[in-house]
Amino acid sequence: MACSRFEYVKLFESHDRLLPGCWAVIRLDGRCFTSFAKKHSFRKPNDERALNLSNAAAKQVLKTFDNHLVLAYGQSDEYSFVLKRESNLFSRRESKILSTVVSMFTSVYVLMWSKFMDVELQEPPTFDGRIVLYPLTCHLRDYLSWRQADTHVNNLFNTAFWALVDQDGKSLKEAEKLLKGTNSKEKNELLFSQFGINYNNEPQMFRKGSLIIRRPGNEGYEFPKRRRVDQPSNEDHKGTTYLVDMQKDLAPSDDDYHVLHTDIIKDDFWKQHHYLLWPPDDSPPRIRKT
């Protein structure tokens, strides 16, 4: 139908390209997931099966867009994917990037449901999404720190809440009223004194969320204590070789992506994995013309 009299309808299309040179975070959230989790008998306060299912779906998204996505961070029913600053995926069209990532994550979530969950899927899970731009790496770091801090706050509350309900026989309203206005120290004290729960001994995945990264190199799992990593080069910055200390918690895997449950608020992780957020702020990527 090219060059037909109907082609004018293309004029109504909007152009929604993401700003060049910025980090882009594609954030997915489960829609009406409280009722979805209840209908499928998710365990409280955390369901490790459902979390591993989300991690598997996120890992597949990363594999599919291997050259464009840097990492993914997830907790509960949400996942954030970081698009490289220099990526020109779908000509940086926001609607196409967002719709593709959301639909792929959802499709894989449904496809792999039976592998992780022992209950029949009774209704289709749905996820909404948004894209937020961050011009500087420090902004992106703060975003990821915010999500991990949120993971801790929510999980501490939920752990105390469901301990009151399941072990102390409190109603949902009574448990909520008891915890209202309490700080982290008070919640920790309640868990330890009343239920013998040391919150610091709870699984890392529950307390810190899940970070998925691609390890450098394509070799097997025989990691040296330190290895050389070549950084990409551009006209302004020559390629540089760095010695990188490999993360201890990189578990053996039959692929190049690893799910970590580690602190990403402090600088230690980013110093060990500084190749992830490259180039640094003082050397912004050159903008490619499209």
Side-chain angles (χ1 to χ4, degrees):
M1 297 295 293
C3 299
S4 74
R5 64 187 179 91
F6 305 113
E7 194 177 11
Y8 78 93
V9 296
K10 292 169 60 178
L11 298 174
F12 290 90
E13 295 181 8
S14 60
H15 300 283
D16 58 351
R17 284 195 174 94
L18 299 172
L19 286 174
C22 294
W23 298 104
V25 173
I26 305 132
R27 180 176 163 189
L28 281 60
D29 283 291
R31 181 178 176 274
C32 300
F33 240 67
T34 300
S35 60
F36 178 85
K38 185 176 180 179
K39 180 170 287 188
H40 293 90
S41 303
F42 278 25
R43 297 164 185 164
K44 301 292 185 179
N46 295 284
D47 193 317
E48 189 172 355
R49 304 166 304 167
L51 292 174
N52 286 328
L53 173 57
S54 291
N55 292 341
K59 187 184 287 190
Q60 185 57 51
V61 173
L62 285 173
K63 287 179 182 179
T64 302
F65 300 109
D66 177 68
N67 295 323
H68 298 277
L69 296 176
V70 179
L71 55 84
Y73 176 79
Q75 58 140 329
S76 186
D77 61 338
E78 76 168 50
Y79 239 104
S80 298
F81 299 90
V82 177
L83 186 72
K84 293 179 181 179
R85 295 163 120 181
E86 69 274 16
S87 172
N88 199 38
L89 178 64
F90 301 136
S91 299
R92 293 183 74 86
R93 289 168 56 193
E94 179 177 359
S95 56
K96 191 157 186 175
I97 294 172
L98 182 59
S99 59
T100 303
V101 171
V102 171
S103 62
M104 172 164 286
F105 182 91
T106 308
S107 298
V108 178
Y109 193 93
V110 172
L111 186 65
M112 302 188 75
W113 174 272
S114 60
K115 181 178 179 180
F116 292 90
M117 306 297 292
D118 54 10
V119 295
E120 185 178 351
L121 186 60
Q122 300 180 44
E123 65 179 40
T126 56
F127 296 86
D128 59 47
R130 74 205 75 174
I131 296 182
V132 183
L133 298 179
Y134 296 100
L136 298 178
T137 302
C138 61
H139 299 152
L140 176 63
R141 285 268 318 263
D142 284 346
Y143 169 81
L144 294 169
S145 296
W146 169 50
R147 299 321 304 146
Q148 186 164 75
D150 187 70
T151 302
H152 163 70
V153 170
N154 289 338
N155 187 65
L156 179 57
F157 177 88
N158 289 334
T159 302
F161 180 88
W162 288 104
L164 287 168
V165 172
D166 294 336
Q167 298 183 44
D168 203 32
K170 295 289 190 293
S171 68
L172 300 183
K173 287 186 176 180
E174 288 174 333
E176 186 175 2
K177 185 177 180 179
L178 283 170
L179 293 175
K180 186 177 181 180
T182 58
N183 57 34
S184 295
K185 183 178 179 180
E186 291 167 333
K187 292 185 182 72
N188 273 291
E189 178 61 28
L190 181 148
L191 285 170
F192 189 75
S193 61
Q194 292 193 32
F195 307 105
I197 298 174
N198 184 338
Y199 181 74
N200 291 327
N201 293 334
E202 291 295 291
Q204 292 271 70
M205 177 164 62
F206 302 160
R207 294 188 292 117
K208 298 185 182 298
S210 298
L211 178 76
I212 308 180
I213 64 171
R214 189 183 194 280
R215 66 177 175 83
N218 295 314
E219 55 277 328
Y221 180 64
E222 297 298 323
F223 283 115
K225 291 184 178 179
R226 293 167 68 86
R227 72 181 300 277
R228 294 185 178 278
V229 177
D230 293 321
Q231 303 295 354
S233 61
N234 57 37
E235 295 179 17
D236 295 330
H237 238 26
K238 293 182 178 179
T240 309
T241 299
Y242 291 87
L243 283 174
V244 176
D245 291 318
M246 301 310 296
Q247 185 81 352
K248 292 180 180 179
D249 52 358
L250 285 179
S253 175
D254 55 3
D255 58 47
D256 287 335
Y257 284 91
H258 302 271
V259 182
L260 309 177
H261 314 297
T262 189
D263 191 313
I264 57 174
I265 296 177
K266 297 177 182 177
D267 292 333
D268 294 351
F269 174 83
W270 301 107
K271 287 178 179 178
Q272 292 180 343
H273 300 82
H274 52 78
Y275 55 86
L276 290 172
L277 305 183
W278 183 268
D281 287 339
D282 58 358
S283 174
R286 297 187 64 83
I287 308 304
R288 291 188 299 170
K289 294 182 180 180
T290 57

